[in-house]
Amino acid sequence: MSNSSSSSSSPGSGSCRFADYFVVAGIDTDSGLEPDELSGENFDQSPLRRTFKSKVLAHYPQNVEYNPFDQDAVNMLCMPKGLSFRTQSENREPQFHSFLITREDGSRTYGFVLTFYEEVTCKQICSAMQTLYQMHNVEQYSGVYASSSCSMDSLASSIDDGDSTSLAKLQRYNSYDISRDTLYVSKCICLITPLPFMQASRKFLLQLHKAVTSQQPPPLPLESYIHNVLYEVPLPPPGRSLKFSGVYGPIICQRPGLSELPLFDFPLREAFELLGLENLVQLFTCVLLEMQILLYSQDYQRLMTVAEGITTLLFPFQWQHVYVPILPASLLHFLDAPVPYLMGLQSKEPNDRSKLELPQEANLCFVDIDNHFIELPEDFPQFPNKLEFIQEISEVLLQFGIPPEGNLHCSESATKLKNLVLDDLANDKKNGNLTGNTINMYELLKGNETLARLQALAKRTGVAVEKMEITAPPAAAKEKDTKCHSSEDELRDYKLTVQLREVFANRFTQMFADYEAFVIQPTQDMDAWLTNREQMQNFDKASFLSDQPEPYLPFLSHFIETQMFATFIDNKIVSLWEEKEPLLRVFDSRIEKMKIYSVRIPTLRTSNYQKCTVLKESALAIEQRLVKIDHTAIHPHLLDMKIGQGKYEQGFFPNLQSDVLSAGPTNNNRWANRSSTAQQRRKDRLRQHSEHLTLDNDLKEKYIQEARSIGKSLRQPKLSDLSPAVIAQTNWKFVEGLLKECRIKTKRMLVEKMGHEAVELGHGEANITGLEENTLIASLCDLLERIWSHGLLIKQGKSALWSHLLHYQETEEKRDATVETPVTAAPERRRSDSGLILPTLRVSLIHDMRHVQNMSEIKTDVGRARAWIRLSLEKKVLSQQLKQLMFNEGLIKKLYKRYAFLRCEDEKEQFLYHLLSLNAVDYFCFTSVFTTIMIPYRAVIIPIKKLSNSITTSNPWISVSGELGDTGVMQVPKNVLEMTFECQNLGKLTTVRIGHDNSGLLAKWLVDCVMVRNEITGHTYRFPCGRWLGKGVDDGSLERILVGELITPVVEEDLSKQCRTPPQLRSPTVARRLSITSLGGKTNKPNAGQIQEGIGESINNIVKHFHKPEKERGSLTILLCGEFGLVSALEQVFHHGFKSARLFQKNVFIWDFIEKAVTYFETTEEDEDCQENLLKLKGCSATFCQYVNAITAAPRSIGKDGKLQLLVCLGARDHLLPQWIPLLAECPVISRMYEDGALLRDHAAVNSLIRVLQTLHDFNITLEASLVKGIDL
């Protein structure tokens, strides 16, 4: 259960020694020169540039119970590129690097390695190298002479523009002659420790190496120092410092206290200098969002420094996925892992990024450390308050004299010039363990034309090539380097590191100060909770997000979906039953402290940036520990060694005497004695406890492991066994993990979406936001990219999915060209004989691809793949189209390796089944995101043929409006009821205005409905009408505003039924029902109670609308003018008890009552003796008359019901309805036009209506332009 970084705060269980093992690795003279095929080196390189197998030559002690020795892993990480050879003319400076091994349970062990060169004394090895050179030279020359003369020229010029002397020199420097040259081979010494004391380990190893190379033998045999560090130097207790002895001087290490940030001993300064602040913050954001991170450098220690630096800044969170800061060459296939990872890869040459072929780049953050450059994934959210955050970090860096833009120790142009000088020469930058030194390059190029030209160029461009780089460093400087750095520099580094970490930690303390309030506490015991962990919701995400400042939301909505956040919350819940996980304990105590000192009300979130206030005290704590040493370890002493062993020979690391190093001291010194004190026993108990293990309870451990991350058992690949079977098993785990992730993601999307839809239907509470939906869809896109890049052989561009789609498109188009398909088949199926039916929309993967390819707004393959996924999701064809793609066997076999996810039959089926479940809900994830694209629409007008002409002689027109805009008035071609038009994305469609100019003999027209379809997404909207358009019929309207409803897609044969006149059984729409009522129809009229309920419901829906976040509100027009909207509900009120009998065959409408009331108000204006209560209403009556007259005077031919609708909408917008209702109720005209029992003549009912309408005063209602066109107030 221990998490991937937990070991950084507590040592491997049971360890209380500073170091667990001392290791020597190098060449095994018995087995000779074995080429290292796994490192993937090619044999075109000269033998000195090739890699050969290294071996662990010795390790002490043989085994440590709590940290078993993994020989293969240690060998691979001590010498990730195997052995390398040099001659006396090449640079042989020792190089230091670190590594770490992550165990199965997630805990870590650290390795610190010093690689140096030793002369090869074995004659067989020297003659083997000579033979390899002779073979190599024969091949090279035969190859060169076989090639044309021009390639000879290019060979020479590539080395030095045809300078033959230099060519000869280069051959000499890149060759080996047994009679002339001395051969050297790399060897390394390594300390393996439970905690990452990098500085102390480095000093210890450098002093050991110095003892081997110096003129004088060391004061004691080397065994004494190694025995001392292995068995007599304890770990410093938390909050204390410790001094122990190296060969030439004291070495100090310190460990943070329990309330401080966990131990971190790598210099963060270096990470900031290497990348620059802006790049580092972007990388930090990518790591938080669990993208795939690939670090790239020639230097192993740089890889380690950046990887450890970036993961320590995550506090209190911990990276939960594959973590391999140094990826050995033999494990390159791991870059194929379809899971988030953080890996470091050694580059062979300064600029070989172009040659690096990566299987997946859609979600990859590529960090080229040496070139100060970072390639980011497309559109990911920025870290909250990024600018202020960068500003605060800059201030800390500048206090220590470090430029925030990073520091490559020279300008970019100087670096390029230097690279030109150094490239392709006999430096070891190609070979791995050691970086070249410019001093030899300079000797090599003395008197060289190229260098002269470069120096001249440098002078002209004003670039200073620093002298230090070209001349040999003075002996004194070298001397200083091997000694420990001045403690002052070291202290500055420690202080800078801790202050930078505090700034990062403070951001999370501020952002998650109230996180505990949103943790959903379990009701069952721990075992039950662990068993059901996967089904449990542990954190109230929606409430948490609703409590955050708006600018934080894009980042936070992504971040709370990550595995690291889930694990953090799991640890919080587990702490109910167990001791708190160390990082959580520190974090919680900081929040407590902040709340005590904080002046802000804890529940009020603010996006004001609050700086870190503990920088000085954190630096002071470290300084005090380093100045005043708490503990001193036993000094190294002579051991009981055999006479003649431990013999000193300068330049050679001795064969150590194993019997004195394989076991600890027998005498009970004070530290050994203390190891089993009561405190230690308590620690052991707690350790067992914290691992959730009672020895007989393997089941609990299993649950815990499963409860953790999907790819988490693969946090580090097995380094020891690389048989095909193991690789296959690893890939099988990946396939299972991807499937599981797909199941969880689709389930989450469904639950969230269905929860949301249930709320719109009035059940339960909303628990998804548009933001959250977008996050879930983005993470689905990411998952599909990872599935499509697993086991990929051939890819074009950065997106594996789009690459596959393009290959599919190519094969389909070739097939279509060869097979002559009858073109008439499709139109026949459309059956659009009378224009009354919307022709069926062809669902085709290739069509959808073409739509996406035509979108000029999208510039990249990753963007196109995401747009295609969103489109398929919105059309509900994602599963169906991916099935087409996945079951094209020929193409899959051509593009994918055997173990790829896409070639696992059962898993493919299950995967498609999970995606199919998403068809149960409606997404608008394409329409709502690509708001500026041009979209083709098709509109069909459907008249009621039985009662009127299907064609009108007048000139009809329509105007379509949506949430994002409208088309303006478009003339419909005469005698044609169907038209297509293209315009900028209208979003979800809301209204259609339809009308005609009343010309010709057959002008009157009874329209059933208008259908409009988005031809890209296939969304079809029905705008019911059921009324006449024409003078002297119905309410005399020549124009109507129709409110749309999205119709659910139907299978092709049902489509014709769907679009014809609705069957009699279906309840007609409100507008139509009202017109029938006004004709004195016999339909059941609603009673007063039902009408009042309808009013309440319609107002309630408007209130709910305004309580949603702005981006998710949907259409207000439907709530005002739709079937159960406010207009319809108020019409019911006005119709109740209305005397609507025909007077002389003429219909009476509500608008007639309104007009009569206006006439009454205008005539009583002059009458001074009007009743007192009407006096109060005089101001109201004036505005009422003004609005009615404006509607009557508008240059639109809307009928009487249309005018009433407009009046209600304007009254709602301007909050005037509660004033107008009593005005009409008090108006004497009412007694002539309404029966006694009418709602409008009931004082109690009118007062209740006014109160309900007043609730709308809190909201700012804006009306769609199509409703209020032409109204001049």
Side-chain angles (χ1 to χ4, degrees), residues 1085-1105:
K1085 294 183 183 176
N1087 60 35
Q1090 290 167 329
I1091 290 172
Q1092 283 170 308
E1093 208 174 289
I1095 285 279
E1097 192 64 35
S1098 65
I1099 298 281
N1100 210 5
N1101 286 337
I1102 294 172
V1103 172
K1104 273 190 201 167
H1105 167 90

PDB file of all heavy atoms in Angstrom, residues 1085-1105:
ATOM      1  N   LYS A1085     -61.328  21.542 -20.890  1.00  0.00           N
ATOM      2  CA  LYS A1085     -60.638  22.742 -20.428  1.00  0.00           C
ATOM      3  C   LYS A1085     -60.059  22.471 -19.043  1.00  0.00           C
ATOM      4  O   LYS A1085     -60.724  21.849 -18.216  1.00  0.00           O
ATOM      5  CB  LYS A1085     -61.605  23.921 -20.373  1.00  0.00           C
ATOM      6  CG  LYS A1085     -62.087  24.326 -21.750  1.00  0.00           C
ATOM      7  CD  LYS A1085     -62.979  25.548 -21.688  1.00  0.00           C
ATOM      8  CE  LYS A1085     -63.514  25.890 -23.063  1.00  0.00           C
ATOM      9  NZ  LYS A1085     -64.453  27.013 -23.020  1.00  0.00           N
ATOM     10  N   PRO A1086     -58.836  22.969 -18.766  1.00  0.00           N
ATOM     11  CA  PRO A1086     -58.264  22.742 -17.433  1.00  0.00           C
ATOM     12  C   PRO A1086     -59.020  23.554 -16.380  1.00  0.00           C
ATOM     13  O   PRO A1086     -59.545  24.637 -16.685  1.00  0.00           O
ATOM     14  CB  PRO A1086     -56.823  23.258 -17.581  1.00  0.00           C
ATOM     15  CG  PRO A1086     -56.847  24.180 -18.747  1.00  0.00           C
ATOM     16  CD  PRO A1086     -57.942  23.716 -19.651  1.00  0.00           C
ATOM     17  N   ASN A1087     -59.090  23.011 -15.155  1.00  0.00           N
ATOM     18  CA  ASN A1087     -59.771  23.767 -14.102  1.00  0.00           C
ATOM     19  C   ASN A1087     -58.800  24.757 -13.453  1.00  0.00           C
ATOM     20  O   ASN A1087     -57.599  24.744 -13.719  1.00  0.00           O
ATOM     21  CB  ASN A1087     -60.371  22.822 -13.057  1.00  0.00           C
ATOM     22  CG  ASN A1087     -59.294  21.971 -12.392  1.00  0.00           C
ATOM     23  OD1 ASN A1087     -58.173  22.440 -12.182  1.00  0.00           O
ATOM     24  ND2 ASN A1087     -59.619  20.732 -12.067  1.00  0.00           N
ATOM     25  N   ALA A1088     -59.340  25.605 -12.551  1.00  0.00           N
ATOM     26  CA  ALA A1088     -58.548  26.685 -11.944  1.00  0.00           C
ATOM     27  C   ALA A1088     -57.299  26.138 -11.244  1.00  0.00           C
ATOM     28  O   ALA A1088     -56.206  26.697 -11.373  1.00  0.00           O
ATOM     29  CB  ALA A1088     -59.415  27.464 -10.953  1.00  0.00           C
ATOM     30  N   GLY A1089     -57.456  25.038 -10.523  1.00  0.00           N
ATOM     31  CA  GLY A1089     -56.327  24.457  -9.787  1.00  0.00           C
ATOM     32  C   GLY A1089     -55.204  24.067 -10.725  1.00  0.00           C
ATOM     33  O   GLY A1089     -54.027  24.353 -10.479  1.00  0.00           O
ATOM     34  N   GLN A1090     -55.571  23.382 -11.832  1.00  0.00           N
ATOM     35  CA  GLN A1090     -54.547  22.943 -12.795  1.00  0.00           C
ATOM     36  C   GLN A1090     -53.834  24.138 -13.430  1.00  0.00           C
ATOM     37  O   GLN A1090     -52.627  24.117 -13.664  1.00  0.00           O
ATOM     38  CB  GLN A1090     -55.194  22.084 -13.891  1.00  0.00           C
ATOM     39  CG  GLN A1090     -55.645  20.720 -13.379  1.00  0.00           C
ATOM     40  CD  GLN A1090     -56.551  20.013 -14.384  1.00  0.00           C
ATOM     41  OE1 GLN A1090     -57.293  20.656 -15.133  1.00  0.00           O
ATOM     42  NE2 GLN A1090     -56.511  18.683 -14.375  1.00  0.00           N
ATOM     43  N   ILE A1091     -54.627  25.204 -13.672  1.00  0.00           N
ATOM     44  CA  ILE A1091     -54.028  26.390 -14.305  1.00  0.00           C
ATOM     45  C   ILE A1091     -53.012  27.022 -13.359  1.00  0.00           C
ATOM     46  O   ILE A1091     -51.893  27.384 -13.759  1.00  0.00           O
ATOM     47  CB  ILE A1091     -55.139  27.409 -14.680  1.00  0.00           C
ATOM     48  CG1 ILE A1091     -55.980  26.840 -15.836  1.00  0.00           C
ATOM     49  CG2 ILE A1091     -54.530  28.759 -15.080  1.00  0.00           C
ATOM     50  CD1 ILE A1091     -57.216  27.644 -16.166  1.00  0.00           C
ATOM     51  N   GLN A1092     -53.393  27.141 -12.064  1.00  0.00           N
ATOM     52  CA  GLN A1092     -52.460  27.751 -11.099  1.00  0.00           C
ATOM     53  C   GLN A1092     -51.197  26.892 -10.934  1.00  0.00           C
ATOM     54  O   GLN A1092     -50.092  27.402 -10.812  1.00  0.00           O
ATOM     55  CB  GLN A1092     -53.164  27.956  -9.753  1.00  0.00           C
ATOM     56  CG  GLN A1092     -54.098  29.169  -9.806  1.00  0.00           C
ATOM     57  CD  GLN A1092     -55.000  29.260  -8.584  1.00  0.00           C
ATOM     58  OE1 GLN A1092     -55.665  28.297  -8.229  1.00  0.00           O
ATOM     59  NE2 GLN A1092     -55.039  30.429  -7.955  1.00  0.00           N
ATOM     60  N   GLU A1093     -51.394  25.587 -10.989  1.00  0.00           N
ATOM     61  CA  GLU A1093     -50.247  24.674 -10.909  1.00  0.00           C
ATOM     62  C   GLU A1093     -49.316  24.890 -12.104  1.00  0.00           C
ATOM     63  O   GLU A1093     -48.092  24.913 -11.971  1.00  0.00           O
ATOM     64  CB  GLU A1093     -50.771  23.232 -10.913  1.00  0.00           C
ATOM     65  CG  GLU A1093     -49.874  22.251 -10.200  1.00  0.00           C
ATOM     66  CD  GLU A1093     -50.542  20.875 -10.117  1.00  0.00           C
ATOM     67  OE1 GLU A1093     -51.519  20.718  -9.355  1.00  0.00           O
ATOM     68  OE2 GLU A1093     -50.092  19.996 -10.849  1.00  0.00           O
ATOM     69  N   GLY A1094     -49.915  25.057 -13.278  1.00  0.00           N
ATOM     70  CA  GLY A1094     -49.138  25.286 -14.507  1.00  0.00           C
ATOM     71  C   GLY A1094     -48.307  26.555 -14.414  1.00  0.00           C
ATOM     72  O   GLY A1094     -47.140  26.587 -14.839  1.00  0.00           O
ATOM     73  N   ILE A1095     -48.898  27.627 -13.845  1.00  0.00           N
ATOM     74  CA  ILE A1095     -48.165  28.890 -13.664  1.00  0.00           C
ATOM     75  C   ILE A1095     -46.954  28.656 -12.762  1.00  0.00           C
ATOM     76  O   ILE A1095     -45.819  29.036 -13.079  1.00  0.00           O
ATOM     77  CB  ILE A1095     -49.089  29.968 -13.029  1.00  0.00           C
ATOM     78  CG1 ILE A1095     -50.070  30.512 -14.061  1.00  0.00           C
ATOM     79  CG2 ILE A1095     -48.275  31.109 -12.430  1.00  0.00           C
ATOM     80  CD1 ILE A1095     -49.507  31.576 -14.973  1.00  0.00           C
ATOM     81  N   GLY A1096     -47.209  27.982 -11.624  1.00  0.00           N
ATOM     82  CA  GLY A1096     -46.135  27.718 -10.658  1.00  0.00           C
ATOM     83  C   GLY A1096     -44.994  26.937 -11.300  1.00  0.00           C
ATOM     84  O   GLY A1096     -43.813  27.274 -11.141  1.00  0.00           O
ATOM     85  N   GLU A1097     -45.371  25.920 -12.090  1.00  0.00           N
ATOM     86  CA  GLU A1097     -44.372  25.052 -12.742  1.00  0.00           C
ATOM     87  C   GLU A1097     -43.518  25.856 -13.729  1.00  0.00           C
ATOM     88  O   GLU A1097     -42.300  25.733 -13.774  1.00  0.00           O
ATOM     89  CB  GLU A1097     -45.124  23.928 -13.473  1.00  0.00           C
ATOM     90  CG  GLU A1097     -44.259  22.792 -13.968  1.00  0.00           C
ATOM     91  CD  GLU A1097     -43.581  22.025 -12.829  1.00  0.00           C
ATOM     92  OE1 GLU A1097     -44.181  21.869 -11.734  1.00  0.00           O
ATOM     93  OE2 GLU A1097     -42.435  21.611 -13.047  1.00  0.00           O
ATOM     94  N   SER A1098     -44.195  26.708 -14.516  1.00  0.00           N
ATOM     95  CA  SER A1098     -43.455  27.455 -15.554  1.00  0.00           C
ATOM     96  C   SER A1098     -42.492  28.463 -14.908  1.00  0.00           C
ATOM     97  O   SER A1098     -41.368  28.642 -15.364  1.00  0.00           O
ATOM     98  CB  SER A1098     -44.419  28.165 -16.504  1.00  0.00           C
ATOM     99  OG  SER A1098     -45.135  29.164 -15.797  1.00  0.00           O
ATOM    100  N   ILE A1099     -42.935  29.126 -13.821  1.00  0.00           N
ATOM    101  CA  ILE A1099     -42.052  30.089 -13.125  1.00  0.00           C
ATOM    102  C   ILE A1099     -40.881  29.329 -12.494  1.00  0.00           C
ATOM    103  O   ILE A1099     -39.723  29.756 -12.565  1.00  0.00           O
ATOM    104  CB  ILE A1099     -42.841  30.841 -12.017  1.00  0.00           C
ATOM    105  CG1 ILE A1099     -43.984  31.653 -12.613  1.00  0.00           C
ATOM    106  CG2 ILE A1099     -41.899  31.713 -11.188  1.00  0.00           C
ATOM    107  CD1 ILE A1099     -43.599  32.968 -13.238  1.00  0.00           C
ATOM    108  N   ASN A1100     -41.207  28.190 -11.910  1.00  0.00           N
ATOM    109  CA  ASN A1100     -40.193  27.366 -11.252  1.00  0.00           C
ATOM    110  C   ASN A1100     -39.080  26.981 -12.223  1.00  0.00           C
ATOM    111  O   ASN A1100     -37.897  27.016 -11.898  1.00  0.00           O
ATOM    112  CB  ASN A1100     -40.888  26.101 -10.732  1.00  0.00           C
ATOM    113  CG  ASN A1100     -40.209  25.584  -9.490  1.00  0.00           C
ATOM    114  OD1 ASN A1100     -39.290  26.215  -8.990  1.00  0.00           O
ATOM    115  ND2 ASN A1100     -40.640  24.444  -9.016  1.00  0.00           N
ATOM    116  N   ASN A1101     -39.460  26.613 -13.444  1.00  0.00           N
ATOM    117  CA  ASN A1101     -38.473  26.211 -14.456  1.00  0.00           C
ATOM    118  C   ASN A1101     -37.547  27.378 -14.813  1.00  0.00           C
ATOM    119  O   ASN A1101     -36.356  27.189 -15.050  1.00  0.00           O
ATOM    120  CB  ASN A1101     -39.171  25.702 -15.718  1.00  0.00           C
ATOM    121  CG  ASN A1101     -39.757  24.318 -15.488  1.00  0.00           C
ATOM    122  OD1 ASN A1101     -39.298  23.588 -14.606  1.00  0.00           O
ATOM    123  ND2 ASN A1101     -40.784  23.959 -16.242  1.00  0.00           N
ATOM    124  N   ILE A1102     -38.117  28.598 -14.849  1.00  0.00           N
ATOM    125  CA  ILE A1102     -37.287  29.775 -15.170  1.00  0.00           C
ATOM    126  C   ILE A1102     -36.308  30.036 -14.033  1.00  0.00           C
ATOM    127  O   ILE A1102     -35.120  30.318 -14.255  1.00  0.00           O
ATOM    128  CB  ILE A1102     -38.185  31.014 -15.438  1.00  0.00           C
ATOM    129  CG1 ILE A1102     -39.009  30.769 -16.715  1.00  0.00           C
ATOM    130  CG2 ILE A1102     -37.339  32.274 -15.573  1.00  0.00           C
ATOM    131  CD1 ILE A1102     -40.057  31.805 -17.006  1.00  0.00           C
ATOM    132  N   VAL A1103     -36.785  29.902 -12.788  1.00  0.00           N
ATOM    133  CA  VAL A1103     -35.903  30.117 -11.625  1.00  0.00           C
ATOM    134  C   VAL A1103     -34.757  29.101 -11.656  1.00  0.00           C
ATOM    135  O   VAL A1103     -33.588  29.441 -11.491  1.00  0.00           O
ATOM    136  CB  VAL A1103     -36.708  29.995 -10.306  1.00  0.00           C
ATOM    137  CG1 VAL A1103     -35.776  30.029  -9.104  1.00  0.00           C
ATOM    138  CG2 VAL A1103     -37.733  31.126 -10.205  1.00  0.00           C
ATOM    139  N   LYS A1104     -35.095  27.822 -11.926  1.00  0.00           N
ATOM    140  CA  LYS A1104     -34.057  26.768 -11.994  1.00  0.00           C
ATOM    141  C   LYS A1104     -33.031  27.102 -13.073  1.00  0.00           C
ATOM    142  O   LYS A1104     -31.836  26.894 -12.903  1.00  0.00           O
ATOM    143  CB  LYS A1104     -34.709  25.423 -12.349  1.00  0.00           C
ATOM    144  CG  LYS A1104     -35.223  24.635 -11.170  1.00  0.00           C
ATOM    145  CD  LYS A1104     -35.600  23.255 -11.673  1.00  0.00           C
ATOM    146  CE  LYS A1104     -36.563  22.534 -10.759  1.00  0.00           C
ATOM    147  NZ  LYS A1104     -37.140  21.346 -11.413  1.00  0.00           N
ATOM    148  N   HIS A1105     -33.541  27.601 -14.193  1.00  0.00           N
ATOM    149  CA  HIS A1105     -32.678  27.947 -15.327  1.00  0.00           C
ATOM    150  C   HIS A1105     -31.584  28.917 -14.881  1.00  0.00           C
ATOM    151  O   HIS A1105     -30.408  28.754 -15.208  1.00  0.00           O
ATOM    152  CB  HIS A1105     -33.547  28.581 -16.416  1.00  0.00           C
ATOM    153  CG  HIS A1105     -32.788  29.262 -17.515  1.00  0.00           C
ATOM    154  ND1 HIS A1105     -32.382  28.606 -18.646  1.00  0.00           N
ATOM    155  CD2 HIS A1105     -32.356  30.547 -17.655  1.00  0.00           C
ATOM    156  CE1 HIS A1105     -31.739  29.450 -19.443  1.00  0.00           C
ATOM    157  NE2 HIS A1105     -31.703  30.631 -18.862  1.00  0.00           N
TER     158      HIS A1105
END
